[in-house]
Amino acid sequence: MSEQKRVMMLGNEAIARGAYEAGVKVSAAYPGTPSTEISENMVKYKDELYCEWSPNEKVAMEVAIGASFAGVRSLASMKHVGVNVAADPLYTISYIGVNGGLVLVAADDPGLYSSQNEQDTRMVARAAQVPVIEPSDSQEAKDYIKFAYEMSEKYDTPVILRTTTRLSHSQGLVTLENRADIEDRPYERNASKNVMMPGNAKLRHLAVEEREKRLIEDSCDFPINRMEINDTSIGVITSGIPYQYVKEALPDASVLKLGLVNPLPRRLIEEFSSKVDKLYIFEELDPLIETQVKSWGIKATGKEIFTVQGEYSANLLRRTVLKQEPYINEEISVPGRPPILCPGCPHRSAFTVLNKLKIHAAGDIGCYTLGAVPPLNVIDTTVCMGSSISSLHGMEKAKGKDYIKNWVAVIGDSTFMHTGINSLMNMVYNQGTGTVMILDNSTTGMTGHQDHAATGKTLQGDTVPAISIPALCKAMGIKNVYEINVFDVEGLEKLLKQELSKDEVSVIITKTPCVLLNKTPITHTCQVDEEACKKCGMCMKPGCPAITKLESGATHIDETMCNGCGLCKSQCKFGAINDVPV
Amino acid sequence: METRNIMIVGVGGQGTLLTSRILGGIMLSAGYDVKMSEVHGMAQRGGSVVTYVRYGDKVSEPIVEEGQADVLIAFEQLEAMRYSHFLKKDGVLIVNTQRIDPMPVVIGAAQYPEGIIENLSKKHKVIAVDAMNEAMKLGNPKVFNVIVIGVAAKHMDFSKEQWFDVIDRTVKPKFIDINKQAFETGYNM
């Protein structure tokens, strides 16, 4: 039966493999670091299952719910903040339960490698009364998601598989097995369970409470909740990636490794705590386990010595529990190297124009959030997906239309399709006058180039009609809709001035593909004529990493980095930058 | 065998992920348990990136912590300096002498430190190579990272044949020869 083949897999790849082996037939997601590679690996199995990029996480969740109603195993995957977008269906599908097994993979980001906050999905799950399973390495990621589907169907509940950046983006050995042949469950109309109106939902709420009680008891015997009794002077309750740090720093300690972190197996935890002298609770982010365990009158140490911020490590345990200071060379203070827009990035051109015109921008989520940092300093605010347009509207309603004459909303194409559309509808409906720039680079850039409804391609590689963003805006009744090449800096400057002066909603779509997406080879690079260079440094103002200052004071463009976008050339008043064919 | 710890640091876009795939591949083929951890997403956009590779009989955590790296491979000087405190007391630092100015330096808000190699050599065993120059000589600047692997290979426990074997399996067919040449160049330096 089993192929018994061992391969290296990213955590996310193993999650996809596990879903495949579990017989999943429908998968839906919106890209978001660190969850993106789950769908990018699901598509490898597209001959045997369906997978899609949905426009946002709420839609993805609902697609998975629909597949579950229809009786097949389904998957939704997203980053932690995506779970907020999907919260509405999530809280209610908890009441309804499942027909085909339903798993939501939520990828948290302790340490904020690529996110706007550090929220803990376990807290959301606890509020929504949805069970949470947490693996500790790639092999477990694959095994646990298969267990999650069995649990989902047995207990009539959606299940969250929680991963973190460290698990999702670490590789480990995984033993491959064959795909299970799971029969579709028959569909039967059952309105009292599947139509959540008050009379039905009241009864379902009681069913959820019963389910949770049953899980609290049964999970004490789940194989994924495991006691490792060694030296009993120290006992640690842990789960997920922190388990690995415990094994590294405290190899002799007794450990209760929880695979199910919501709800908690109370009897098992009480038994474990009675066996050990000193009990620690070692969980990244919020004290979810700790707060509950302490509320049962069990003495334990947790957030008194372990931080609520960032990732954990074995050194953290050595310092706090063992009171050892590991040998470490002195850390040397060096200039930071924050992420930057690529050479030739279209966003740099848009921000250079905004910077010149001293325009403030309400920003959004994507590569273009980097417009907030020097030397561009254009973006003033960034909250969440889609918030640029609505928050600009809020400013206008607070201070009047003249107040936003030097403000724009800046949003990418994928983010606009995600939730920006709703905000733009609101601006039109409620008589706003804002100017919206849609930086359309024809892809979801930051997460590594995923398609969306306006690109004309699907996750499975099918060519489909692209939804036209200008037509969409015009359909909302917006009269001022423009498309412009973002590197036409003079044209863009003129257009911005013109539209900001109007007391009407305007949408300026800068349609220029991401430089990393453009597969056509570059025809030329830009080079500085050192003799003509007046050393004014204007070409450096946009902050292109290909341009540096020589000791002579003249500037130099690295030809291996330059993509020939010509933005620097447009900034040079002395004609000292020329196109050189490659 | 006690777990060995290798770190690869550089600037997003320099090819740290290919390097870790080659390293992971060779350790696997030698029968070790292997774990690797890498950076995706925002940090890859020209930011400082780090990849951890650990191998041994049984590996628990997927990261290398401060003070624990046996080998630190740095594709850029400033990044070598940033992560040098991850080295063990007797750890080896292999640094490509390329300099890439970070944005704070480009805009004049910070100075690129002088004498990085000399200063690091006072505290650590440092092997500095101008791999970019060597790669240019081979006619393909992109293979500079495999030259660095060649240099690092002398401080690891595998034969040249084993390395060639993993290059065969990891690199796209039309780039196999140039990558082997690059490896050989580093190995003989």
Side-chain angles (χ1 to χ4, degrees), chain B residues 71-74 80 84 87 91-95 120 124-128:
Chain B
V71 180
L72 171 61
I73 300 171
S84 60
L87 278 166
V92 182
L93 169 62
I94 292 151
V95 54
L120 289 175
H124 305 283
K125 183 173 181 194
V126 176
I127 300 162

Side-chain angles (χ1 to χ4, degrees), chain A residues 34-55:
Chain A
S35 71
T36 313
E37 300 82 4
I38 298 168
S39 290
E40 290 181 328
N41 282 286
M42 285 306 279
V43 76
K44 291 179 182 164
Y45 310 111
K46 69 176 180 178
D47 292 342
E48 292 170 86
L49 51 80
Y50 169 82
C51 54
E52 71 171 34
W53 290 129
S54 308

